[in-house]
Amino acid sequence: MHILIIGNGIAGATLARRLKERGRGEELMVTLISDEAPYHFSRPAMMYLSTGQLRMEHLKSFPDESWDALGISRVTGHVERIDAEAKQVHLSNGTVLGADVIVLATGSRPNVPTGLNTSLHGVHTYTQMQDVAALDDSLKGAHHGVVIGGGLIGVEAAEIMATHMHARQGSSITSVVREHGFYGNMLPRFESQLVTRHLQQHGIGVRVTTTVSSIEDHDGDGRVDHVTLSDGTVIPADVVVVATGVVPRTQLAKDAGVTVDDGIVVDEWFRTSNATSFPRMRKSIIYAIGDCAQLPWGVQQTWYAGRMHGEHLAEILLGSDEPFCEPIEYNSAKFFDLEWSTYGRVPAESDSASSVLLTDTNDSRCLRIVHDAKRCVVGIHALGLRLRQSTCEQWIAQCKPLDHALEELRDVMFNAEFVPAFVGVAK
Ligand SMILES: Cc1cc2nc3c(=O)[nH]c(=O)nc-3n(C[C@H](O)[C@H](O)[C@H](O)COP(=O)(O)OP(=O)(O)OC[C@H]3O[C@@H](n4cnc5c(N)ncnc54)[C@H](O)[C@@H]3O)c2cc1C
């Protein structure tokens, strides 16, 4: 059997390795195609290349030689078209590859708002490896940076700019955020404002509840020199990063006649609509995993979900009949030096009726425990604290009562020495 995987991000790479580690050696051919990088790398760690804290070899989770050792064929090239009937993929260099199973692990692409002049020199997105060198080039000698968007990538872009520009006399970095604060569509208001204050303390000028209406080149040299906000404010800009979200990369699937909604529609066995040709066999020719896939409960655009998808699809392709069940959501990141982690369901609308918020005395760190109507824990959220992942997931999976969680706070805190300094303030 030949399994051809398009995309060597965490979803595709995990699938390829799992298949070969657990599969039937020679009988199973696995080909991994990428138009971005010959070897899998950690996308969440990409920013550390831009800040100079890591080098490319540090971003690779596996030694280069391990791919050949496992017998995984790697192809660098862009897939232009899938012919589902002929079970072939066509690359832009003319190569045609045949397969028994085709897995789409094509990830996400930037969601750039229409109407902004993003073709000017100095204007970037930041999702692909190629963006690292391009942004690095624009940051040389730049004094004024603007980030459009207050999500995870927006915070990272501001931090990258700060690393390069803060030492320069008269420099400015401005983040333009449509919501009331950073990550305002994901984080509850208190946490969003805490992150906003944290960025301000790191010298980032934050403009909230406003948008960029134009990106302009005043002197006609093709380089950006300012942006104008919707309230008419003009902000100087030598570099602009457009970080207004990402959307699943679905065009290949759409062109192949596979059903696409927000993402590539799949069932709990990661089968696309192509599976209708043999529905009772729980088999398909085309599957989709990772950021590009839309499961029955929605699109999950996190690194951790991509890894789980890859692991689970490997088992299915090796013969398992087990459906993939909705996992307890998990994500973590760092906003400058502020650690963030979230488990389960933590809606942006969480308030004192649906959650308990604990903060330290100067509101610089916090822990929120979200509960349902029966006061069972359904989500946990922390800023500036390290939590024990296994305990958080256990509390949520076992629907532990809120009172138990509050009594056992020490169990969840990674840095136990911090607990006595932690003043509980319900908000
Ligand atoms: C800057 C940044 C920071 C992030 N930080 C975090 C974080 O802290 N925590 C977290 O959980 N998530 C984070 N994410 C999101 C996380 O990286 C993604 O959820 C994850 O990488 C998705 O993995 P994937 O395998 O589905 O796709 P991807 O990693 O996007 O890989 C898809 C691959 O497919 C290739 N491809 C697509 N189309 C074709 C084609 N036609 N032909 C050939 N190759 C093709 C792409 O070029 C790419 O290499 C971050 C993302 C970015 C950009």
Side-chain angles (χ1 to χ4, degrees), residues 3-7 11-12 15 82 101-107 248-254 258-275 283-300 305-306 308-314 316-317 324:
I3 299 172
L4 202 149
I5 306 163
I6 307 171
L15 170 63
I82 296 172
V101 165
I102 297 166
V103 181
L104 290 154
T106 48
R249 206 188 295 264
T250 56
Q251 197 59 47
L252 266 184
K254 216 183 264 181
V258 165
T259 304
V260 166
D261 181 25
D262 289 336
I264 303 167
V265 175
V266 295
D267 63 11
E268 293 92 331
W269 291 268
F270 299 104
R271 303 177 308 172
T272 65
S273 59
N274 174 269
K283 292 247 177 323
S284 183
I285 294 168
I286 307 180
Y287 294 80
I289 51 172
D291 272 23
C292 68
Q294 179 180 335
L295 281 139
W297 50 88
V299 174
Q300 295 179 293
M308 283 190 263
H309 293 182
E311 287 168 356
H312 200 95
L313 181 58
I316 289 170
L317 294 175
F324 181 69

Side-chain angles (χ1 to χ4, degrees), residues 209-236:
T209 57
T210 189
T211 54
V212 168
S213 55
S214 63
I215 303 175
E216 289 159 56
D217 157 28
H218 197 57
D219 42 23
D221 63 356
R223 276 203 75 98
V224 59
D225 55 39
H226 66 270
V227 304
T228 304
L229 304 188
S230 46
D231 63 5
T233 309
V234 173
I235 300 176

Side-chain angles (χ1 to χ4, degrees), residues 6-12 33-36 43-44 46 77-79 105-108 126-128 152-153 156 249 252 289-292 301-304 331-333:
I6 307 171
N8 71 353
I10 186 64
I33 309 179
S34 171
D35 59 6
E36 184 183 14
R43 199 171 302 283
M46 212 170 77
H78 179 71
V79 176
T106 48
S108 297
Y126 194 76
T127 59
Q128 296 274 115
L152 200 63
I153 299 175
E156 292 192 355
R249 206 188 295 264
L252 266 184
I289 51 172
D291 272 23
C292 68
Q301 288 164 298
T302 67
W303 189 90
Y304 308 93
N331 207 345
S332 73

Side-chain angles (χ1 to χ4, degrees), residues 3 14 61 69 97 114 124 130 163 215 221 250 253 314 342 396 402:
I3 299 172
T14 304
S61 323
L97 298 170
T114 51
H124 300 271
Q130 287 71 13
T163 314
I215 303 175
D221 63 356
T250 56
T342 181
I396 296 166
L402 175 66

Side-chain angles (χ1 to χ4, degrees), residues 20-40:
K20 287 305 256 182
E21 282 159 1
R22 310 248 297 107
R24 299 169 307 241
E26 305 274 291
E27 285 171 44
L28 195 68
M29 274 176 65
V30 176
T31 303
L32 194 52
I33 309 179
S34 171
D35 59 6
E36 184 183 14
Y39 293 99
H40 165 70

